[in-house]
Amino acid sequence: MKDRVVSSRAVATIKILQQPSNLTWVEQAIANLDTILLDHSHCERKAAGVAINLMFRYPSHQKLVRQLTAIASEELAHFEQVNQWLEKLGIPLAPLNSPPYFSKLKSQVRHGEPDRLVDSLLISAIIEARSHERLGLIGEYCPQPDLAKFYCSLMASEARHYGIYWLLAQEYSDRATVETRLAKLAEYESSILATLHHEPRVHS
Amino acid sequence: MKDRVVSSRAVATIKILQQPSNLTWVEQAIANLDTILLDHSHCERKAAGVAINLMFRYPSHQKLVRQLTAIASEELAHFEQVNQWLEKLGIPLAPLNSPPYFSKLKSQVRHGEPDRLVDSLLISAIIEARSHERLGLIGEYCPQPDLAKFYCSLMASEARHYGIYWLLAQEYSDRATVETRLAKLAEYESSILATLHHEPRVHS
C-alpha cells in the first residue's frame, strides 16, 4: 500500500479547496478502513442533520429549503448504504469522537445576517468538497474492489452537493464577496488538515 | 362546514391515544387550512430532525438506527410534498410559533437510561399517532378534494411510524413497563389537547 500511495501520482486539487489532501492521510485511512467506514457513516448522518438544521434556521428561504431537502434525503440514503456496508463487513455501529475539523470550521462562522448564512453555506460547500476528494481517494486506493466501487459511486453526489451549497451562498451575497470569503475559509480549512489528526477519520 | 363537523359522527380513538381530538380542533383547522398546511410542513421537518437526533444520541443501537433512517427519509419526502402543496396554493414558506404541545411533552422525558430513550420513543409514537388521527380528520373534512386525498394518502405512513416507535420502545424495556408508561404519557398528551391552543396548528 505504502509504495502505491507514495508514488509520483499527485492528488488532484478539487475546485474550491485550497490544498489537496496529504498522502499521509491516504495511508492513515487505508490502514484503518474499518474506522474510516464507521466515521463515514457518522459523516453522512451529520450532513443530513446540518441540512435540516439550516432549513430550521431559515424556514422562509424557498430555494434553500427545496435544495437542502434534496441534499438531506441523499445524505440519509448514503447513511443507509454505508451502514449496510458496515453490517456486511461485521463492523458494529459505535460512537466515535469527532475530529477537531468540524468545530474549528464552525468557529469561523460570523455573527449577524447574511454573514452567518453565507459562512454556514460556504463551510458546508468546503466540507462536501473535501468529502468528495477524500471519498475519491478511498475509492482509488481501497484494496477491496467492491468497496472501492461504492466509494467512487458516491463522488458524483458529493460534487453536486458542494456546487449547490456554493451557488446557494451566492443567493444571499454578491458573487465577488462570496468568492473572497470562500477563498479565506478554504485556506483555513487546508491549514486545519495540514497537521494529520492522530485518530483516523474522513476529516483527520 | 360547522354543520358537517358538529354532526353525530364521533371522532374515532386511535390506538395508543387516550382521547380523540375535539371537534373544535377540526373546526379551527378547516377554518385556517393555509396555516395548518404551513404548520404541517414544519411538523414533517421537525419529525425528520427528531429521528436524526435520536440516531445521533444512540449511534450504536443498530435496530433503532436502521428504522429511524427509514422514518427520517419518509418525513423528508412528506416535507417536500407538503411544500409542493404550499407552492401550488401560493402560500409562502414562513416561520410559525410552535404550539406548547411539543415542549410540554418533552418535559415528561425522564433522566437516566433506558428511561430517557424509552420516553423519547413513546413520545414520538404518541405524536405520530396524533398526527395520524389529525391528518385523517383534515382528509375527511377538507373542502378541497385533491388536498383531502393527499392527507388521506399520508395516513398509512404516520400509522406505520407510530407502530415502529412503539415497538422500538419495547426493545429497551419490558412490554408491561412500556405499556404502563405509554398509558401515562398518552393521558398527559390528551390533557394538553383538552384546551384548544388559540393558534391553529396540527397539534393545537
Side-chain angles (χ1 to χ4, degrees), chain A residues 42 45-46 48-49 52 55-56 59-62 65-66 69-70 72-73 76-77 79-80 83 87 91-95, chain B residues 42 45-46 48-49 52 55-56 59-62 65-66 69-70 72-73 76-77 79-80 83 87 91-95:
Chain A
H42 288 292
R45 192 203 54 231
K46 268 184 231 165
I52 289 178
M55 294 193 271
F56 185 79
S60 320
H61 292 38
Q62 200 97 16
V65 167
R66 193 181 314 121
T69 305
S73 299
L76 276 175
F79 177 59
E80 173 62 23
N83 289 345
E87 201 173 339
I91 305 165
L93 292 182
Chain B
H42 288 292
R45 193 204 52 232
K46 267 185 230 164
I52 289 177
M55 293 193 272
F56 185 80
S60 320
H61 292 39
Q62 199 96 17
V65 167
R66 194 181 313 122
T69 305
S73 299
L76 277 175
F79 177 58
E80 173 63 22
N83 289 345
E87 201 173 341
I91 306 165
L93 293 182

Side-chain angles (χ1 to χ4, degrees), chain A:
Chain A
M1 168 60 216
K2 189 155 179 159
D3 290 348
R4 202 175 150 211
V5 171
V6 188
S7 70
S8 59
R9 180 202 291 270
V11 177
T13 307
I14 300 291
K15 203 175 153 184
I16 98 171
L17 298 179
Q18 290 281 338
Q19 294 291 331
S21 285
N22 287 323
L23 291 173
T24 49
W25 174 79
V26 183
E27 291 178 318
Q28 184 199 44
I30 300 299
N32 296 279
L33 260 184
D34 285 12
T35 308
I36 291 291
L37 203 59
L38 182 59
D39 184 52
H40 179 197
S41 156
H42 288 292
C43 286
E44 296 288 358
R45 192 203 54 231
K46 268 184 231 165
V50 164
I52 289 178
N53 286 340
L54 277 170
M55 294 193 271
F56 185 79
R57 223 196 291 150
Y58 304 98
S60 320
H61 292 38
Q62 200 97 16
K63 197 167 180 179
L64 177 149
V65 167
R66 193 181 314 121
Q67 299 195 336
L68 296 195
T69 305
I71 288 186
S73 299
E74 267 197 298
E75 307 285 15
L76 276 175
H78 295 168
F79 177 59
E80 173 62 23
Q81 289 170 343
V82 179
N83 289 345
Q84 281 170 8
W85 267 102
L86 289 172
E87 201 173 339
K88 192 173 161 183
L89 299 172
I91 305 165
L93 292 182
L96 271 186
N97 296 330
S98 270
Y101 180 82
F102 299 102
S103 55
K104 284 187 174 173
L105 279 175
K106 211 176 160 185
S107 74
Q108 300 302 299
V109 175
R110 290 169 298 172
H111 299 289
E113 297 296 357
D115 294 347
R116 187 179 179 211
L117 172 54
V118 169
D119 284 0
S120 302
L121 293 168
L122 290 179
I123 285 173
S124 282
I126 292 170
I127 295 173
E128 296 279 349
R130 184 62 70 187
S131 303
H132 169 75
E133 183 217 31
R134 292 197 160 181
L135 301 188
L137 288 168
I138 298 173
E140 193 174 345
Y141 290 102
C142 171
Q144 293 170 257
D146 281 0
L147 190 57
K149 205 170 151 190
F150 168 64
Y151 272 101
C152 291
S153 77
L154 293 180
M155 284 186 71
S157 19
E158 304 293 333
R160 200 162 13 83
H161 294 173
Y162 81 68
I164 291 171
Y165 275 114
W166 183 31
L167 290 171
L168 271 177
Q170 291 172 33
E171 293 279 318
Y172 307 106
S173 191
D174 64 283
R175 186 168 176 142
T177 311
V178 168
E179 287 198 343
T180 309
R181 184 66 185 152
L182 175 65
K184 198 170 172 181
L185 289 170
E187 196 186 328
Y188 179 70
E189 190 259 2
S190 288
S191 77
I192 303 172
L193 297 180
T195 312
L196 187 72
H197 182 59
H198 65 283
E199 291 171 308
R201 298 288 185 269
V202 176
H203 301 92
S204 60

